[in-house]
Amino acid sequence: MRRLAADTRGTATIEFALLSVFFFVALTAVLDIGIWYQHRLRLDSAVEQGAMLAFGTRSNVDQAAIATFVAAAAKLSIAPTIKVGCNGGTSNCVNSSRSCACVSGRTPTFTAATCNASCADGSLAGYYLTIEASATSTPMVVSSSVLGGITQQRRALVRLE
């Protein structure tokens, strides 16, 4: 029995097996964070491209085309949800007889105003298009609270007029 207890052959294999579990869990966590961040960057880029498209076609806004473009530009495995609207609404953009608004706050609030009139912050009232995109990531190991939630939301605000 003493000879068997003193035998150390194979301990490196057992140590490797135990440590490799922790290594692969850590590796998977790093991959989770990388995939989550890549989704965030793709969503940012898609919303930015949609804002440029909206500005380029500002005299004739096609909300459905902008939403479709942003969803396709994100190149995510699960298509993001896209909302396009003007002056704080959803699916309400018009191409003639536009009403203007002043924008304030980090989460924009819109106050009706005469076009090109001065707003309280010194800016000029205008006709604003908002693109909001949200996409869901599914982490394998990392808690969604660590990543700031599994649903990522991005927004762009573009002055059209």
Side-chain angles (χ1 to χ4, degrees):
M1 241 353 177
R2 286 184 193 189
R3 190 174 57 106
L4 187 59
D7 191 2
T8 59
R9 291 179 294 168
T11 50
T13 305
I14 292 171
E15 288 172 354
F16 174 77
L18 292 173
L19 290 176
S20 66
V21 170
F22 295 113
F23 173 74
F24 287 116
V25 167
L27 182 65
T28 306
V30 168
L31 288 174
D32 260 356
I33 293 169
I35 290 169
W36 176 85
Y37 196 69
Q38 181 187 35
H39 285 182
R40 180 179 176 142
L41 291 175
R42 284 183 177 187
L43 199 59
D44 277 341
S45 178
V47 169
E48 181 181 334
Q49 291 174 34
M52 289 188 286
L53 174 67
F55 187 77
T57 60
R58 63 187 171 275
S59 59
N60 188 20
V61 176
D62 184 353
Q63 298 168 120
I66 292 170
T68 302
F69 177 82
V70 171
K75 296 180 182 172
L76 298 175
S77 56
I78 299 172
T81 304
I82 312 295
K83 294 179 187 174
V84 179
C86 290
N87 288 351
T90 303
S91 299
N92 65 334
C93 297
V94 294
N95 291 316
S96 61
S97 302
R98 293 177 170 171
S99 58
C100 293
C102 291
V103 180
S104 62
R106 184 173 178 156
T107 304
T109 55
F110 297 84
T111 308
T114 305
C115 290
N116 294 318
S118 289
C119 298
D121 64 356
S123 64
L124 296 177
Y127 190 68
Y128 295 93
L129 178 126
T130 306
I131 301 171
E132 293 180 1
S134 62
T136 303
S137 298
T138 308
M140 293 182 282
V141 174
V142 179
S143 169
S144 63
S145 62
V146 172
L147 298 175
I150 57 172
T151 301
Q152 301 182 49
Q153 297 181 341
R154 293 287 170 248
R155 177 185 301 147
L157 181 65
V158 182
R159 183 184 167 131
L160 299 179
E161 185 176 307

